[in-house]
């Protein structure tokens, strides 16, 4: 899945969570609002009925006290104030939500308030009415207006009180339920955020850290540190590209190191060859030349031991005859053993004039019984084809390679040509060109000896 689709999915999940939380919040708010609204409405209705009830009781007590207890010597302020307050309560009923029965009670009180207030006013102010008449009139209004209204108000007041208590209980339950819903929503959000963080970390952040570490290691030259991301998104493609880049850089570095190593080997070979040529030009004896030549071949290829066979072709019909054999072994090898090796393991090498290189050989040189782990033999020839040389190197760590064979050929061929030419010059300087006998200078040297 591509990163764009992963982020689309991530956005969809976040949007879905937001919608769910939004509707849960709306439900919680509506639950609290409905509970609170119903409680407010019921509280307003309850307090209105309470005020209505208290107003009626206050008027009833004031009139009762005035008519039945006290002398009617004048209009008491308590009755007048009670009637005014009761009227104010009735006028405030328009802002209160009530059921039909309660509305009928209020309508009844509002309709009969004026006749009641006039009757009360007449009871108080009319001095011609006797106390017994006042009491009789008051009883009538008390039964027909005050007590009738008080009974209905009391009934609805008790019912509203129960409803109010029930709403208070429901409001508390709604509050607890809302708190549980909010806690569950918060837990749900936390779980979603945790899952999203885990999702983003596993699919995006962690692969980016892996790619960053691999890039830093690659920049520092560490080609072994590779990002191993197998996803099918852009990060997986980037990881594969970094691996391809690292492999390409590693291959180029190896090629460059191989080139540098090869150049160093060529320079080293030229230095050794130059030293050998200088030594050959000094005119030392053949035996010393051959020992130095073998030492240089060992230094060149870092082999354990080396040897050289020199054969001379007397005629085209006969096989070359072994004339010299020199090696670097501690024990001296006889010419018979050397001839046995020429007639044995190196027979095809001499006849076919082809190199022999093997890293699987396990044998022994007859003279010293030296164990051979690997071997490299290279045939050489002088310019006139009369002398044939066979250079042998044995036992190199990790075996001989084709590069070793090329280096040995380049060095040994030039050195062998120089040695044979030097020996030819020495031979011409000490023999007569016509007879082949030693010349007069050699005769005098031998005679002096």
């Amino acid at each position: 899945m591509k990163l764009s689709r992963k982020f689309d999915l991530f956005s969809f999940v976040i949007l879905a969570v937001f919608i769910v939380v939004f509707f849960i919040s709306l439900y919680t708010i509506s639950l609290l609002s409905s509970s609170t609204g119903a409680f407010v409405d019921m509280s307003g209705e309850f307090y209105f009925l309470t005020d209505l009830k208290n107003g009626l009781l206050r008027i009833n007590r004031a009139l009762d006290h005035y008519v039945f207890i006290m002398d009617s010597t004048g209009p008491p302020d308590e009755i007048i104030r009670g009637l005014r307050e009761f009227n104010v309560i009735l006028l405030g009923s328009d802002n209160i939500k009530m059921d039909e029965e309660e509305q009928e009670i209020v309508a009844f009180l509002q309709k009969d308030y004026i006749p009641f207030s006039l009757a009360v006013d007449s009871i108080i102010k009319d001095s011609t009415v006797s106390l017994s008449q006042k009491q009789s009139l008051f009883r009538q209004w008390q039964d027909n207006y005050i007590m009738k209204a008080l009974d209905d108000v009391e009934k609805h007041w008790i019912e509203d009180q129960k409803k109010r208590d029930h709403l208070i209980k429901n409001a508390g339950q709604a509050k607890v339920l809302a708190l549980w819903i909010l806690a569950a929503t918060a837990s749900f959000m936390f779980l979603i955020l945790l899952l999203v963080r885990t999702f983003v970390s596993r699919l995006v952040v962690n692969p980016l850290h892996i790619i960053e570490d691999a890039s830093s290691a690659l920049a520092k030259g560490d080609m072994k540190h590779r990002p191993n991301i197998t996803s099918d998104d852009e990060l997986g493609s980037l990881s594969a590209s970094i691996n391809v880049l690292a492999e390409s850089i590693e291959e180029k570095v190896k090629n460059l190191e191989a080139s540098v190593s090869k150049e160093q080997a060529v320079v080293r070979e030229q230095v050794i060859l130059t030293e050998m040529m200088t030594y050959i030009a000094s005119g030392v004896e053949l035996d010393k030349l051959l020992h130095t030549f073998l030492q240089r071949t060992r230094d060149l290829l870092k082999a354990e031991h080396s040897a050289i066979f020199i054969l001379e072709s007397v005629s085209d019909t006969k096989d070359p005859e072994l004339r010299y054999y020199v090696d670097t072994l501690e024990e001296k090898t006889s010419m018979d053993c050397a001839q046995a090796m020429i007639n044995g393991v190196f027979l095809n090498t001499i006849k076919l004039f082809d190199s022999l290189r093997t890293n699987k050989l396990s044998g022994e040189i007859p003279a010293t019984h030296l164990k051979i782990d690997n071997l490299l033999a290279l045939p050489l020839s002088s310019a006139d084809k009369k002398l044939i040389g066979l250079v042998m190197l044995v036992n190199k760590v990790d075996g001989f390679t084709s590069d070793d064979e090329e280096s040995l050929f380049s060095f040994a061929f030039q050195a062998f040509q120089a040695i044979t030419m030097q020996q030819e010059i020495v031979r011409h300087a000490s023999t007569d060109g016509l007879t082949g006998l030693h010349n007069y200078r050699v005769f005098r040297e031998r005679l002096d000896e």
Side-chain angles (χ1 to χ4, degrees):
M1 185 185 295
K2 300 298 183 181
L3 280 179
S4 57
R5 297 195 63 183
K6 290 180 180 179
F7 280 110
D8 291 340
L9 179 61
F10 168 74
S11 302
F12 175 77
V13 170
I14 294 298
L15 178 61
V17 171
F18 173 78
I19 293 174
V20 170
V21 173
F22 175 75
F23 281 106
I24 291 175
S25 301
L26 283 181
Y27 172 74
T28 306
I29 293 172
S30 64
L31 182 65
L32 291 175
S33 298
S34 61
S35 177
T36 304
F39 176 74
V40 170
D41 293 338
M42 181 55 62
S43 296
E45 182 181 347
F46 175 77
Y47 288 127
F48 173 75
L49 292 177
T50 301
D51 292 340
L52 199 63
K53 174 184 174 183
N54 293 332
L56 289 171
L57 290 173
R58 188 180 303 113
I59 293 173
N60 187 54
R61 283 196 304 269
L63 286 173
D64 189 49
H65 181 76
Y66 176 75
V67 175
F68 293 99
I69 299 176
M70 299 180 64
D71 294 334
S72 54
T73 57
D77 295 335
E78 183 69 23
I79 297 175
I80 297 173
R81 187 166 53 252
L83 289 173
R84 290 176 180 174
E85 291 177 355
F86 185 69
N87 186 38
V88 172
I89 294 172
L90 288 177
L91 293 176
S93 63
D94 295 337
N95 299 324
I96 305 300
K97 291 183 179 181
M98 296 178 289
D99 57 24
E100 294 181 359
E101 293 182 0
E102 292 171 347
Q103 290 176 0
E104 291 177 357
I105 295 172
V106 173
F108 166 76
L109 292 173
Q110 288 176 342
K111 182 183 70 171
D112 291 344
Y113 173 76
I114 294 176
F116 172 70
S117 60
L118 292 175
V120 170
D121 187 66
S122 65
I123 292 173
I124 296 174
K125 294 181 179 180
D126 193 354
S127 59
T128 61
V129 180
S130 65
L131 180 61
S132 61
Q133 289 176 334
K134 290 182 180 181
Q135 293 176 348
S136 176
L137 290 173
F138 177 71
R139 287 294 184 188
Q140 293 177 5
W141 281 107
Q142 187 182 35
D143 294 337
N144 296 329
Y145 186 75
I146 296 176
M147 297 309 297
K148 183 178 183 302
L150 274 175
D151 290 340
D152 293 336
V153 171
E154 180 72 19
K155 175 184 176 182
H156 286 278
W157 181 82
I158 293 173
E159 292 178 355
D160 288 350
Q161 187 178 24
K162 292 180 180 180
K163 292 180 181 178
R164 182 173 175 273
D165 294 339
H166 181 70
L167 286 176
I168 291 174
K169 181 179 179 181
N170 289 341
Q173 293 177 349
K175 182 179 180 181
V176 173
L177 179 60
L179 290 176
W180 276 107
I181 292 175
L182 291 176
T185 304
S187 301
F188 175 72
M189 284 292 296
F190 177 76
L191 179 61
I192 293 298
L193 290 176
L194 184 63
L195 291 176
V196 169
R197 184 183 184 281
T198 303
F199 172 82
V200 174
S201 297
R202 184 171 64 87
L203 297 181
V204 179
V205 178
N206 292 340
L208 285 176
H209 284 319
I210 293 174
I211 292 175
E212 180 186 9
D213 294 340
S215 301
S216 300
L218 183 62
K220 295 177 182 178
D222 183 7
M223 303 299 170
K224 302 300 181 182
H225 194 89
R226 305 287 179 85
N228 186 19
I229 301 175
T230 58
S231 59
D232 56 352
D233 54 13
E234 290 86 347
L235 295 176
S237 301
L238 179 60
S239 174
S241 300
I242 291 177
N243 287 332
V244 172
L245 177 63
E247 291 175 359
S248 177
I249 294 176
E250 185 176 14
E251 183 179 359
K252 285 181 171 55
V253 169
K254 287 181 179 178
N255 293 336
L256 182 61
E257 290 176 349
S259 299
V260 171
S261 178
K262 192 171 183 178
E263 290 296 329
Q264 291 176 347
V266 170
V267 172
R268 182 168 172 269
E269 176 185 329
Q270 292 298 323
V271 171
I272 294 175
L273 180 61
T274 301
E275 292 177 353
M276 187 65 202
M277 290 301 183
T278 303
Y279 190 73
I280 293 172
S282 64
V284 297
E285 297 178 357
L286 179 61
D287 187 65
K288 293 183 178 181
L289 283 177
L290 294 178
H291 276 89
T292 303
F293 170 74
L294 294 179
Q295 184 62 44
R296 292 295 180 266
T297 58
R298 289 173 58 196
D299 295 340
L300 180 66
L301 299 186
K302 299 179 181 179
E304 184 179 356
H305 295 290
S306 60
I308 184 169
F309 303 83
I310 298 180
L311 298 87
E312 184 178 8
S313 296
V314 180
S315 65
D316 295 336
T317 58
K318 293 183 179 181
D319 293 333
E321 296 180 2
L322 182 63
R323 297 300 185 190
Y324 292 96
Y325 171 77
V326 181
D327 60 31
T328 59
L329 302 176
E330 295 180 0
E331 298 183 14
K332 182 174 178 60
T333 304
S334 65
M335 292 295 290
D336 293 336
C337 290
Q339 187 64 51
M341 286 187 281
I342 290 295
N343 295 333
V345 66
F346 300 126
L347 180 61
N348 290 331
T349 304
I350 296 295
K351 286 186 176 182
L352 301 177
F353 213 79
D354 191 15
S355 62
L356 173 63
R357 176 167 56 88
T358 176
N359 293 312
K360 296 181 181 180
L361 182 65
S362 180
E364 295 179 345
I365 296 178
T368 59
H369 300 282
L370 176 68
K371 183 179 179 181
I372 300 175
D373 296 321
N374 43 62
L375 179 144
L376 174 61
L378 186 68
L380 304 168
S381 175
S382 63
D384 57 4
K385 307 295 184 184
K386 291 183 178 181
L387 293 178
I388 297 175
L390 180 66
V391 182
M392 176 187 71
L393 288 94
V394 297
N395 297 349
K396 178 188 176 183
V397 178
D398 298 330
F400 295 99
T401 63
S402 57
D403 292 337
D404 294 335
E405 187 174 337
E406 292 179 5
S407 298
L408 179 62
F409 177 78
S410 177
F411 170 76
F413 174 77
Q414 298 182 64
F416 187 74
Q417 294 296 324
I419 290 173
T420 55
M421 290 178 63
Q422 191 265 357
Q423 292 301 310
E424 186 68 17
I425 292 172
V426 172
R427 187 178 66 83
H428 282 295
S430 61
T431 59
D432 180 69
L434 180 61
T435 62
L437 300 175
H438 287 294
N439 56 22
Y440 179 74
R441 180 180 61 82
V442 178
F443 168 75
R444 293 299 303 178
E445 290 177 355
R446 292 293 184 268
L447 184 59
D448 291 340
E449 292 175 0

